[in-house]
Amino acid sequence: MARAASPYPVAVPAEPTQAQYGVVFQLDSGGDAAIKKTLANIENLLKDPRLKGKVTVELVANSKGYQVYDKNNGFGERLLKLKEHGVILAQCANTLRELHVDRKALYPFITIVPAGVGEITLRQAQGWAYIHPTPPSLME
């Protein structure tokens, strides 16, 4: 039996055109939902067969996003897996200072950068894609 034609346009999936890609994710919202959504986005990107071995990813946390790296959040195992896959885990030093967060409260395997927005600016100037997942509370 023939399938009915879809009423929706069918897009042809994009194919890689470069040898290497860079993607920087910004997480500036706290709470489990925002963190889970951002980590899932990164995990999905790493699973995309078109980008296997061709993508470098960085997660930059600033503002309330620092919660992703808090030792008591329960995300340590997921973060370590991402790090094992080459994901750069970066925390904004300005946020730590402004929110009075002790570096010792964060996982020891993350990198501190002087300014989260500075890191994003530098990555974009290098041609990296910028992704800022919408916090779930803003989607309601």
Side-chain angles (χ1 to χ4, degrees), residues 26-47:
Q26 180 183 19
L27 180 58
D28 60 1
S29 301
D32 281 359
I35 293 170
K36 286 177 182 178
K37 180 177 183 178
T38 301
L39 296 180
N41 272 253
I42 294 170
E43 291 161 348
N44 289 338
L45 176 66
L46 294 172
K47 291 176 189 172

mmCIF file of all heavy atoms in Angstrom, residues 26-47:
data_model
loop_
_atom_site.group_PDB
_atom_site.id
_atom_site.type_symbol
_atom_site.label_atom_id
_atom_site.label_comp_id
_atom_site.label_asym_id
_atom_site.label_seq_id
_atom_site.Cartn_x
_atom_site.Cartn_y
_atom_site.Cartn_z
ATOM 1 N N GLN A 26 25.834 28.266 25.951
ATOM 2 C CA GLN A 26 25.793 29.144 27.121
ATOM 3 C C GLN A 26 24.672 28.682 28.033
ATOM 4 O O GLN A 26 23.543 28.464 27.594
ATOM 5 C CB GLN A 26 25.556 30.598 26.728
ATOM 6 C CG GLN A 26 25.504 31.523 27.938
ATOM 7 C CD GLN A 26 25.205 32.967 27.577
ATOM 8 O OE1 GLN A 26 24.700 33.267 26.514
ATOM 9 N NE2 GLN A 26 25.510 33.865 28.485
ATOM 10 N N LEU A 27 24.993 28.543 29.325
ATOM 11 C CA LEU A 27 23.995 28.232 30.332
ATOM 12 C C LEU A 27 24.046 29.336 31.365
ATOM 13 O O LEU A 27 25.005 29.454 32.131
ATOM 14 C CB LEU A 27 24.284 26.868 30.981
ATOM 15 C CG LEU A 27 23.298 26.421 32.059
ATOM 16 C CD1 LEU A 27 21.867 26.355 31.528
ATOM 17 C CD2 LEU A 27 23.716 25.087 32.627
ATOM 18 N N ASP A 28 23.028 30.193 31.370
ATOM 19 C CA ASP A 28 22.974 31.293 32.331
ATOM 20 C C ASP A 28 21.727 31.236 33.202
ATOM 21 O O ASP A 28 21.391 32.191 33.878
ATOM 22 C CB ASP A 28 23.100 32.652 31.646
ATOM 23 C CG ASP A 28 22.003 32.930 30.636
ATOM 24 O OD1 ASP A 28 21.105 32.073 30.457
ATOM 25 O OD2 ASP A 28 22.028 34.001 30.013
ATOM 26 N N SER A 29 21.063 30.083 33.204
ATOM 27 C CA SER A 29 19.882 29.855 34.035
ATOM 28 C C SER A 29 20.163 28.687 34.963
ATOM 29 O O SER A 29 20.799 27.714 34.569
ATOM 30 C CB SER A 29 18.668 29.498 33.179
ATOM 31 O OG SER A 29 18.382 30.529 32.276
ATOM 32 N N GLY A 30 19.661 28.777 36.177
ATOM 33 C CA GLY A 30 19.830 27.691 37.122
ATOM 34 C C GLY A 30 18.620 26.784 37.132
ATOM 35 O O GLY A 30 17.679 26.951 36.361
ATOM 36 N N GLY A 31 18.651 25.804 38.006
ATOM 37 C CA GLY A 31 17.542 24.865 38.158
ATOM 38 C C GLY A 31 17.739 23.624 37.316
ATOM 39 O O GLY A 31 18.387 23.653 36.262
ATOM 40 N N ASP A 32 17.194 22.517 37.803
ATOM 41 C CA ASP A 32 17.373 21.228 37.137
ATOM 42 C C ASP A 32 16.871 21.212 35.699
ATOM 43 O O ASP A 32 17.501 20.627 34.827
ATOM 44 C CB ASP A 32 16.677 20.121 37.924
ATOM 45 C CG ASP A 32 17.475 19.672 39.129
ATOM 46 O OD1 ASP A 32 18.580 20.198 39.368
ATOM 47 O OD2 ASP A 32 16.990 18.772 39.846
ATOM 48 N N ALA A 33 15.728 21.833 35.438
ATOM 49 C CA ALA A 33 15.156 21.767 34.091
ATOM 50 C C ALA A 33 16.073 22.415 33.059
ATOM 51 O O ALA A 33 16.317 21.840 31.989
ATOM 52 C CB ALA A 33 13.779 22.421 34.069
ATOM 53 N N ALA A 34 16.598 23.592 33.358
ATOM 54 C CA ALA A 34 17.485 24.282 32.422
ATOM 55 C C ALA A 34 18.786 23.491 32.233
ATOM 56 O O ALA A 34 19.288 23.369 31.110
ATOM 57 C CB ALA A 34 17.799 25.690 32.918
ATOM 58 N N ILE A 35 19.313 22.956 33.324
ATOM 59 C CA ILE A 35 20.556 22.190 33.247
ATOM 60 C C ILE A 35 20.342 20.915 32.435
ATOM 61 O O ILE A 35 21.119 20.605 31.522
ATOM 62 C CB ILE A 35 21.085 21.866 34.660
ATOM 63 C CG1 ILE A 35 21.526 23.150 35.357
ATOM 64 C CG2 ILE A 35 22.228 20.860 34.587
ATOM 65 C CD1 ILE A 35 21.834 22.987 36.841
ATOM 66 N N LYS A 36 19.278 20.176 32.736
ATOM 67 C CA LYS A 36 18.992 18.930 32.007
ATOM 68 C C LYS A 36 18.809 19.189 30.517
ATOM 69 O O LYS A 36 19.296 18.429 29.672
ATOM 70 C CB LYS A 36 17.747 18.251 32.576
ATOM 71 C CG LYS A 36 17.980 17.597 33.912
ATOM 72 C CD LYS A 36 16.688 16.996 34.459
ATOM 73 C CE LYS A 36 16.908 16.377 35.819
ATOM 74 N NZ LYS A 36 15.663 15.840 36.383
ATOM 75 N N LYS A 37 18.104 20.266 30.190
ATOM 76 C CA LYS A 37 17.865 20.581 28.782
ATOM 77 C C LYS A 37 19.180 20.881 28.068
ATOM 78 O O LYS A 37 19.427 20.391 26.961
ATOM 79 C CB LYS A 37 16.922 21.770 28.647
ATOM 80 C CG LYS A 37 16.646 22.139 27.204
ATOM 81 C CD LYS A 37 15.665 23.264 27.083
ATOM 82 C CE LYS A 37 15.406 23.510 25.605
ATOM 83 N NZ LYS A 37 14.431 24.546 25.391
ATOM 84 N N THR A 38 20.030 21.666 28.689
ATOM 85 C CA THR A 38 21.302 22.023 28.065
ATOM 86 C C THR A 38 22.200 20.806 27.906
ATOM 87 O O THR A 38 22.787 20.596 26.831
ATOM 88 C CB THR A 38 22.012 23.117 28.887
ATOM 89 O OG1 THR A 38 21.143 24.259 28.964
ATOM 90 C CG2 THR A 38 23.329 23.529 28.254
ATOM 91 N N LEU A 39 22.309 19.981 28.940
ATOM 92 C CA LEU A 39 23.144 18.778 28.848
ATOM 93 C C LEU A 39 22.605 17.819 27.792
ATOM 94 O O LEU A 39 23.375 17.219 27.047
ATOM 95 C CB LEU A 39 23.249 18.092 30.214
ATOM 96 C CG LEU A 39 23.947 18.893 31.315
ATOM 97 C CD1 LEU A 39 23.985 18.093 32.623
ATOM 98 C CD2 LEU A 39 25.341 19.328 30.903
ATOM 99 N N ALA A 40 21.274 17.697 27.706
ATOM 100 C CA ALA A 40 20.682 16.834 26.674
ATOM 101 C C ALA A 40 20.995 17.360 25.277
ATOM 102 O O ALA A 40 21.275 16.574 24.364
ATOM 103 C CB ALA A 40 19.172 16.728 26.884
ATOM 104 N N ASN A 41 20.969 18.684 25.103
ATOM 105 C CA ASN A 41 21.313 19.272 23.804
ATOM 106 C C ASN A 41 22.747 18.904 23.419
ATOM 107 O O ASN A 41 23.021 18.527 22.271
ATOM 108 C CB ASN A 41 21.182 20.789 23.854
ATOM 109 C CG ASN A 41 19.803 21.289 23.535
ATOM 110 O OD1 ASN A 41 19.560 21.847 22.475
ATOM 111 N ND2 ASN A 41 18.882 21.112 24.454
ATOM 112 N N ILE A 42 23.660 19.001 24.368
ATOM 113 C CA ILE A 42 25.068 18.671 24.093
ATOM 114 C C ILE A 42 25.210 17.189 23.783
ATOM 115 O O ILE A 42 25.893 16.808 22.809
ATOM 116 C CB ILE A 42 25.963 19.082 25.285
ATOM 117 C CG1 ILE A 42 25.963 20.608 25.438
ATOM 118 C CG2 ILE A 42 27.389 18.557 25.094
ATOM 119 C CD1 ILE A 42 26.613 21.099 26.723
ATOM 120 N N GLU A 43 24.569 16.343 24.567
ATOM 121 C CA GLU A 43 24.644 14.897 24.336
ATOM 122 C C GLU A 43 24.086 14.531 22.962
ATOM 123 O O GLU A 43 24.659 13.700 22.251
ATOM 124 C CB GLU A 43 23.909 14.153 25.453
ATOM 125 C CG GLU A 43 24.619 14.259 26.789
ATOM 126 C CD GLU A 43 23.753 13.944 28.001
ATOM 127 O OE1 GLU A 43 22.503 13.852 27.864
ATOM 128 O OE2 GLU A 43 24.319 13.819 29.089
ATOM 129 N N ASN A 44 22.977 15.149 22.582
ATOM 130 C CA ASN A 44 22.396 14.893 21.259
ATOM 131 C C ASN A 44 23.332 15.333 20.141
ATOM 132 O O ASN A 44 23.461 14.647 19.125
ATOM 133 C CB ASN A 44 21.044 15.591 21.126
ATOM 134 C CG ASN A 44 19.977 14.941 21.974
ATOM 135 O OD1 ASN A 44 20.084 13.775 22.357
ATOM 136 N ND2 ASN A 44 18.937 15.700 22.298
ATOM 137 N N LEU A 45 23.986 16.461 20.320
ATOM 138 C CA LEU A 45 24.942 16.937 19.324
ATOM 139 C C LEU A 45 26.081 15.939 19.157
ATOM 140 O O LEU A 45 26.472 15.611 18.032
ATOM 141 C CB LEU A 45 25.489 18.310 19.726
ATOM 142 C CG LEU A 45 26.564 18.903 18.823
ATOM 143 C CD1 LEU A 45 26.003 19.226 17.442
ATOM 144 C CD2 LEU A 45 27.162 20.136 19.456
ATOM 145 N N LEU A 46 26.594 15.443 20.266
ATOM 146 C CA LEU A 46 27.710 14.493 20.206
ATOM 147 C C LEU A 46 27.313 13.160 19.569
ATOM 148 O O LEU A 46 28.166 12.454 19.041
ATOM 149 C CB LEU A 46 28.274 14.255 21.608
ATOM 150 C CG LEU A 46 28.945 15.459 22.270
ATOM 151 C CD1 LEU A 46 29.279 15.153 23.722
ATOM 152 C CD2 LEU A 46 30.183 15.887 21.496
ATOM 153 N N LYS A 47 26.019 12.831 19.608
ATOM 154 C CA LYS A 47 25.525 11.577 19.024
ATOM 155 C C LYS A 47 25.210 11.693 17.535
ATOM 156 O O LYS A 47 24.976 10.680 16.879
ATOM 157 C CB LYS A 47 24.268 11.113 19.754
ATOM 158 C CG LYS A 47 24.519 10.644 21.163
ATOM 159 C CD LYS A 47 23.205 10.302 21.839
ATOM 160 C CE LYS A 47 23.388 10.040 23.311
ATOM 161 N NZ LYS A 47 22.101 9.886 24.005
#
